[in-house]
Amino acid sequence: AEDAFFKLLKRNNVTPDTAWEDALRLVIKDKEYRALKDPKERRQAFEKYCLEVRAQEKGKEKERRERLREEFRQMLKTHDEIKQYTRWKTARPMIEREAVFKQADDEDERRSLFEEYIVELKRRHAEEEREKHTLAMQELHGLLQAMIVDADTKWSEAQEAITKNERFASNDLFRSLNTVDLLSAFDSHMRDLDRARHEAKQKDRRLHTRRERKIREAYRAMLAQHLNEGHIKAGTKWKDFHPLIKDDERYHALLGNPGSGALDMFWDVVEDEERKLRTKRNTALDVLEEQRWEMKTSHTLQDFVAIVGNDPRMSNVSSDEMQLIFERLMEKVIRRAEDDKAHAERAQRKAVDALRSAIKHLEPPVRLGDTWEEVRVRIEREPEFADVEDEEARKSAFEKHMKRLKEKEEDIERERARRAERDARNGSRRERDDRDRRHRTRTPEIDAYEADRRRAQEARERSYRKASFGLTPPPRDRRDDRAYDDRRRLDRAESIYDRERREREMERERNYVSRADPRDKGRTLDYGDEDAVGSRPGSVRKRRESENSNSTARDKKRPKRDAEAEHLLKEEPPALQSGSEEGEIEEV
């Protein structure tokens, strides 16, 4: 029934795009329409029919397109002028007259088929170029192997050699390679050379290490041979063993070999023997302790063997080892005896020093004239005397003390003589100094500035009596002059040293006063008898200028000075300045 309904729809040209109402209007009058009784089944059969028809149409379209694609591709192959870089607008005029070109439904389908063919050409061309590049790189690698064999070759040298090579220039295969390809091939080749060189070095190192190991093994075998022969024992010295092997080839082969040397391996063997001997020595000590036998310096090897040789634990000890054990133990006994002797001597020296100290502190003290018998009676009850058992040692302590007393006495005599000599020398110098001092006091030094000071003093006295203005000091009392004369007489009576000291103190005082204003240092003394600008401090000069300016207006109203006053002002003597250290000199 369903197949009959499908045939009915097909006979009436019902397509999948036809609506169900339109299809129903076309087939409703046909008697096969009622092959399906249920309207719902008819609708489902119609939808199924549409699906099958669409699938058939799609399959036919796919087959048609595949066939058209193959025919279109074969047609494009016949046109050699079409390459992988040809564009559609360039190729269309070439193929538009072909029958396959017209079989396509529209322009988009034709262009799509052309683009698929171009993609295939590009892929095929890329594969060919890749294969060609691979082949060229292989050829270049073979060329580099033949040309470059040094792993330290630089790229600039290799590039110049490659470009000048005839095989590289004549082969068209190398034209597809650029500089980057050449550099990559060169880098790969240099890595291969480095790897080969490193492997060669590793191989040589392994061979060298193996050869060194065989040399050391041969030398150890030689040491084992001499050990079995008894040439190497515990305590054997290299100087005793070296003459036995100095001509052996195994010893000469080891010389200069890195690693453990001949002496190191010899000491390894000796240390092993020492370790074995220490074990056997400890066993011998255990035997001696069990036998309660103490070794002394007077014992011999036979005495030692008689004690420890019968013990079963010492049965595997050879005679040479027994002798070595005895020598080691005897060395220890001798060392202990020497230490005891040194300790006893040190204690004896301390006791003698203590006895000498006791003699030194006896009351009353020991004198130089005392004898040993006299001192012995006084000190024999002291514990220091009992500690020294030897009479000669006691007497030596006394003699040392007496010798020290004698040395002290001699030192005192020498010091007394030096002091007397120094006192005599100092006394003569003191007398000479006193004589010189008295001579200097009686004959004082001549004062070269005394006349100048007198003239300055007289000039000051004359100027004090004249009329003056400003900062002129008041007249000086005659008592000051008398005091000055007294000081001068006192100065003459003083010594030259006292006068020099007093002058230095006055100079320091003047320097201290002049430090107030450095500009006034060395200026003339201001007695108010001149108006020099440089002879007064700034404050005085300003006050004077102010007074002069104020008095100008007053002088016009006051009568002029008389001729006698002006004459006195004009005849005022010049200013005075500091002269010598104790007076003034008239300014010139």
Side-chain angles (χ1 to χ4, degrees), residues 337-350:
E338 292 176 353
D339 294 342
D340 295 341
K341 183 178 178 182
H343 180 71
E345 291 177 355
R346 188 163 51 252
Q348 182 69 14
R349 286 195 298 271
K350 290 183 178 179

Side-chain angles (χ1 to χ4, degrees), residues 75-83 85-86 94 117 121:
M75 181 268 295
L76 292 175
K77 283 183 179 181
T78 58
H79 294 272
D80 297 336
E81 64 274 14
I82 298 177
K83 304 296 183 181
Y85 49 82
T86 304
M94 302 177 186
Y117 177 73
L121 288 181

Side-chain angles (χ1 to χ4, degrees), residues 18 31 48 73 104 150 170 208 283 309 312 334 336 355 436 575 583:
T18 305
K31 59 181 180 179
K48 185 177 180 181
R73 189 169 64 85
D150 187 8
S170 60
H208 190 65
T283 304
I334 292 173
R336 188 185 305 113
L355 178 60
D436 293 343

Side-chain angles (χ1 to χ4, degrees), residues 290-304:
E290 292 176 0
Q291 297 292 335
R292 299 183 180 279
W293 188 75
E294 183 179 359
M295 285 188 63
K296 298 181 180 179
T297 56
S298 59
H299 290 155
T300 61
L301 176 62
Q302 291 74 15
D303 299 335
F304 178 74

Side-chain angles (χ1 to χ4, degrees), residues 107-258:
E107 188 70 14
D108 293 338
E109 186 177 10
R110 297 189 190 99
R111 184 164 185 173
S112 175
L113 295 174
F114 175 77
E115 295 293 341
E116 291 179 0
Y117 177 73
I118 293 299
V119 170
E120 183 180 355
L121 288 181
K122 288 181 179 180
R123 183 174 60 253
R124 190 182 304 120
H125 177 75
E127 292 176 356
E128 292 175 358
E129 290 294 328
R130 187 162 49 253
E131 293 176 357
K132 186 178 179 180
H133 183 270
T134 302
L135 183 59
M137 292 296 289
Q138 292 176 357
E139 292 291 332
L140 180 61
H141 186 68
L143 180 63
L144 291 176
Q145 288 180 348
M147 291 177 57
I148 302 175
V149 294
D150 187 8
D152 297 327
T153 304
K154 297 181 180 179
W155 162 243
S156 58
E157 301 173 357
Q159 185 181 16
E160 184 178 359
I162 292 171
T163 53
K164 292 181 179 180
N165 186 270
E166 296 181 359
R167 178 182 172 187
F168 181 81
S170 60
N171 195 345
D172 296 338
L173 189 62
F174 294 127
R175 295 180 181 177
S176 61
L177 301 178
N178 52 25
T179 306
V180 177
D181 296 333
L182 297 180
L183 181 59
S184 176
F186 172 76
D187 187 28
S188 177
H189 178 63
M190 296 306 294
R191 283 198 299 270
D192 294 340
L193 291 179
D194 289 338
R195 189 182 304 108
R197 182 171 60 180
H198 180 69
E199 291 176 356
K201 288 183 179 180
Q202 292 294 332
K203 184 178 180 180
D204 293 341
R205 190 178 292 109
R206 287 194 295 270
L207 293 176
H208 190 65
T209 304
R210 184 172 176 231
R211 184 168 58 254
E212 293 173 356
R213 187 180 67 254
K214 287 185 176 181
I215 292 173
R216 286 193 293 270
E217 290 176 355
Y219 183 77
R220 288 194 182 96
M222 181 192 67
L223 293 177
Q225 179 183 354
H226 284 281
L227 179 63
N228 295 331
E229 293 175 359
H231 297 155
I232 300 177
K233 304 175 184 176
T236 303
K237 304 297 183 182
W238 172 254
K239 64 180 181 180
D240 300 331
F241 178 70
H242 181 261
L244 302 176
I245 63 171
K246 63 180 182 178
D247 298 329
D248 199 308
E249 295 181 357
R250 294 170 289 184
Y251 170 68
H252 288 286
L254 185 63
L255 296 178
N257 201 39

Side-chain angles (χ1 to χ4, degrees), residues 34-49:
R34 303 191 184 278
L36 295 175
K37 303 298 184 180
D38 191 359
K40 188 176 180 180
E41 293 179 358
R42 296 191 192 102
R43 180 66 180 268
Q44 293 176 355
F46 172 74
E47 292 177 355
K48 185 177 180 181
Y49 169 78

